[in-house]
Amino acid sequence: MKEDVSSGIKYMLIASLLFAFMGASAKELSDSMSSVEVVFFRNVFGVAIILYSIYKKPLEQAGGKPFLLIFRGTIGFLALLMFFYNISEIPLGEAMTFSRTSTIFTAIFAYIFVKEKLGFKGWIGVFVGFIGILFITKFDGSNLDKTDWLGILCGVGAALAYTSIRELRKYYDGRTIVLSFMGIGTIGPLILMLIGQFYTNANLDFMLAKFQMPGTKDIIYIVMLGLFATYAQIYMTKAYSCAKAGIIGTISYSNIAFSIILGIILGDTFPDIWIILGILLIVISGFLVSLKKD
């Protein structure tokens, strides 16, 4: 297929904006319900869409990797728990930036497990990315905040999920891979909220919480959350089909800028100089690592 860079950039900008609106919807929902419940509604919406798609066009796949499929779904679900918890606790732009560190860890895991070459620029990108993480967390040798740990682990978890997809796509329809993630991401929160009815732990509040019945305003945000997430995925897929991954991957970091703007509108403080420097370094890191994909 002929490359169409301008369309790829346009689609990725739209996807990045929609992902930012998804995060903003999740942040608004966090005022009246736990991040665990937000994860549930985010995924149950997607499960319905995927099942309808499978009904319209049945799956055609070889299969044969059920444990890897379950691993992908579970690790992706855990990463999403941490991501939405951070959205509820820290500025939206900062939470989005933590999630984008997955690019750094994906490069490392692909090198270790899939034997992908990283190259000199890629290793420089990984190094720059870790410096960026230090800036964002303001790590000075003392303990990191809970949200810092969860942000880093979110990036690691997402990277493991992305790396597993590279193997799974040889055996499964893409919809099956997505369904494994969203299915576990629907059942998992139900179990965790059931446990949360009888047991609470301040250290585990990112994964244990009580169910709160959504109000009318919440239902509106839940629908927005599902729509923004779904169409963001559609436009992101279109973008990567139009142009090289290195170009599209770099443009995708506009999501951070959109998230900062929306976060400020919702009441977040403007990021300080260390956060800004950290974000810039992580963007540069993502660009350097993505060069190997071209």
Side-chain angles (χ1 to χ4, degrees):
M1 184 175 65
K2 186 177 179 181
E3 187 173 288
D4 185 353
V5 176
S6 61
S7 292
I9 291 174
K10 178 182 70 176
Y11 290 144
M12 193 66 245
L13 285 172
I14 293 172
S16 296
L17 181 59
L18 290 173
F19 274 127
F21 274 114
M22 179 202 75
S25 300
K27 197 170 187 69
E28 286 296 290
L29 283 170
S30 67
D31 290 337
S32 56
M33 65 178 64
S34 70
S35 56
V36 182
E37 192 170 343
V38 175
V39 170
F40 166 74
F41 285 116
R42 158 68 181 87
N43 285 310
V44 74
F45 194 99
V47 166
I49 293 173
I50 295 296
L51 289 177
Y52 178 74
S53 171
I54 293 173
Y55 169 75
K56 297 292 290 184
K57 183 181 178 182
L59 299 170
E60 295 181 5
Q61 58 191 22
K65 295 283 185 178
F67 293 109
L68 185 60
L69 195 65
I70 293 172
F71 171 80
R72 183 271 180 268
T74 303
I75 201 70
F77 161 56
L78 291 174
L80 199 61
L81 280 177
M82 299 172 194
F83 174 54
F84 278 117
Y85 178 83
N86 268 6
I87 283 179
S88 70
E89 297 292 322
I90 62 177
L92 182 59
E94 193 173 334
M96 285 290 183
T97 303
F98 271 125
S99 73
R100 296 313 305 271
T101 61
S102 60
T103 303
I104 305 167
F105 296 113
T106 299
I108 296 173
F109 293 145
Y111 174 80
I112 295 172
F113 299 116
V114 191
K115 308 303 179 184
E116 282 193 5
K117 293 182 179 179
L118 192 52
F120 178 73
K121 291 180 180 177
W123 283 114
I124 291 296
V126 169
F127 175 76
V128 170
F130 279 117
I131 297 299
I133 292 174
L134 291 178
F135 276 26
I136 290 177
T137 59
K138 299 182 177 69
F139 184 65
D140 58 1
S142 59
N143 291 331
L144 295 174
D145 291 335
K146 180 179 179 179
T147 51
D148 293 333
W149 280 113
L150 292 179
I152 294 169
L153 290 174
C154 170
V156 171
L160 285 170
Y162 295 149
T163 304
S164 67
I165 290 173
R166 302 186 185 197
E167 181 69 13
L168 285 169
R169 64 188 178 190
K170 300 175 185 176
Y171 303 92
Y172 292 99
D173 185 300
R175 292 171 296 171
T176 300
I177 299 173
V178 174
L179 187 60
S180 72
F181 162 54
M182 291 187 171
I184 292 174
T186 300
I187 297 171
L190 289 175
I191 296 172
L192 293 174
M193 285 188 287
L194 179 61
I195 296 172
Q197 293 293 125
F198 306 98
Y199 174 75
T200 57
N201 186 320
N203 294 322
L204 298 176
D205 59 345
F206 69 96
M207 60 187 301
L208 292 177
K210 295 181 179 180
F211 177 80
Q212 298 290 333
M213 185 61 68
T216 303
K217 181 180 177 182
D218 295 329
I219 292 174
I220 294 173
Y221 281 119
I222 287 169
V223 173
M224 290 170 59
L225 179 75
L227 289 175
F228 287 140
T230 300
Y231 280 98
Q233 290 286 347
I234 291 171
Y235 278 103
M236 182 177 70
T237 301
K238 284 185 176 182
Y240 277 105
S241 68
C242 289
K244 292 180 179 180
I247 296 172
I248 300 305
T250 302
I251 298 300
S252 71
Y253 281 87
S254 60
N255 165 254
I256 297 174
F258 292 138
S259 297
I260 290 173
I261 294 171
L262 287 176
I264 291 173
I265 292 173
L266 295 177
D268 289 344
T269 57
F270 191 83
D272 61 31
I273 185 63
W274 296 110
I275 299 292
I276 293 174
L277 287 174
I279 290 172
L280 288 174
L281 288 173
I282 287 174
V283 172
I284 293 170
S285 166
F287 172 71
L288 291 172
V289 170
S290 67
L291 290 178
K292 72 182 181 67
K293 299 177 182 178
D294 292 342

